[in-house]
Amino acid sequence: MTIRFVFLQANTLRPYLTCIRNTLTAAMCLQNFPCQEVERHNKPEVEFKTSKELLLNPILICRNEAEKCLIESSINSLRISIKVKQADELENILAKKFLRFLSMRAESFQVLRRKPVQGYDISFLITNFHCEEMFKHKLIDFVVAFMEDIDKEISELKLSVNTRGRLVATEFLRQFT
Amino acid sequence: MAAREVHHLAQCITCHAWNADMSMVAVCPNNNEVHIYKVSESPDTPWERVYVLEKHEQLVSGIDWAPKSNKIVTCSHDRNSYVWSLEGEEWQATLVILRLNRAATSVQWGPQENKFAVGSGAKTVCVCYYEEDNNWWVSKLIRKKHLSTVTSVSWHPNNVLLATTSTDSKCRIFSAFIKGVDARKDATTVFGDIKFGDELIQLDLACGWAFGAQWSPSGNSLAYVGHDSSIHFVTDVGPTPRARSLSLRHLPLRDVLFLSETRLVAGGFDCNPMLFGSEKTGDWEFISFLDEVKLPEEPKSDTLFAAAKGKFKWLGSESSEESTLTTTHHSCITMLRPRVPLSERSPDKAITLFSSSGLDGRVVIWDLNNVGDGLAGLRL
């Protein structure tokens, strides 16, 4: 039974990631755009949302009720927000701590946002400057690989927490036997 | 292979412009400077940088080089524009009073080089002309009608009509007739008598931001692209124009270039120039991509077992196929320019040499004379 469940999960992962990849290829057509509101400024329009005509329609890709990905694009920037699968309370805490650890170190990732968008677990902000420095297809590879690895990491963390808990409990209760 | 020469000049190039005899090119390497390179005789030697023009404080967003007067006009995100003229060995900058309070996004000399137009983020277009008494360039502003940033400007060959595109997804044609600079007879066009700043046509064909407006060599047609991956052709521009819109299955385009009355090349986020043509009926169609895309080599496996194992290996980790396909440009093409001197161009001969610059920092020269069999039958 367990094996079949895992297979089904893997079955939806590929189409989900392919859909995200294709959407990102289309949404990541960014260009340098000077701010219309303030002179001499250059801001990511998707964050400020001051001019409605510069924003594109946001796209929400859902794998199931628990996992989804919101892609908001504009003329010079793109925001990707991901909600990661959290099956139980333990996964909830692990995901929160792990993603907070990554977000706090957003400087070194460059494309990561320090705070996730409301309702999501982690967000990326990609601007035209990132596209000028780095290859577009590599950026997309990074985001998709990140999403794949997150799930694996959290499962591994959960396993190790459970293993450690079992070990500690066994050791502790040994003194009573 | 249609790409004849590839020159990697910087990490990223915003815009480029050729001089009259195509021996020098002015390029902005994504900063506040303009670099002028001298072209070498053979296609393999790298170009030599001869001048650096430094006056702007922010990104230079537009460069245009007037072929007859040899003046360069540059505009930048710092709301300024300069007209440069070569005096001896140095390029001297002349101030342009633009009266803008937002960034300038694009610039183009008029065909007679006595005026130039600057599009800006202030939702206005400045048409500048030279004032002898004070030795500077003054501007008249077209303040009406634009609802968002003006992305590109293009002059009609009659030096009076100006087409603009904007991020409000519309393309508009204005009158840029200036009393005192233009002859009185120029005020009468297909639209009747016009005065400065009149909006003559508003084209609402695109659903996305509009870019790259260009007139055909005779001025009878106009083409522009939209960010919804569409390209629009308007013929018989006048009180009753005809339009044809093509929706493409590829990534959006950024700039267009008319090679003749019936051939047009466009480049954009696909990093591959696309050729469009219109036959006698006048309907524009997509012909082909100009770049040959190199496919990755299939890794050869010795035994059947190794081949099967290879298949399973890739099932799990699927990296994008696009990362291994390579076009000549590695990033978006932002500007296309003809590479044929003005003196050699004629109405019955198509331009077969043009250059493209992109966000990957490359300037590529394309030659359509030796393009493959499929196009050999089509006469440009």
Side-chain angles (χ1 to χ4, degrees), chain A residues 21 36-37 40 53 132, chain B residues 30 79 102 148-149 209:
Chain A
R21 182 186 291 282
Q36 283 181 164
E37 312 299 319
R40 298 183 198 253
E53 74 270 11
E132 285 162 16
Chain B
N30 206 30
R79 301 138 66 254
R102 294 288 180 274
S148 191
T149 301
W209 312 306

Side-chain angles (χ1 to χ4, degrees), chain B residues 295-306:
Chain B
L295 291 164
E297 279 174 12
E298 298 289 328
K300 292 196 195 2
S301 16
D302 297 327
T303 65
L304 212 60
F305 179 68

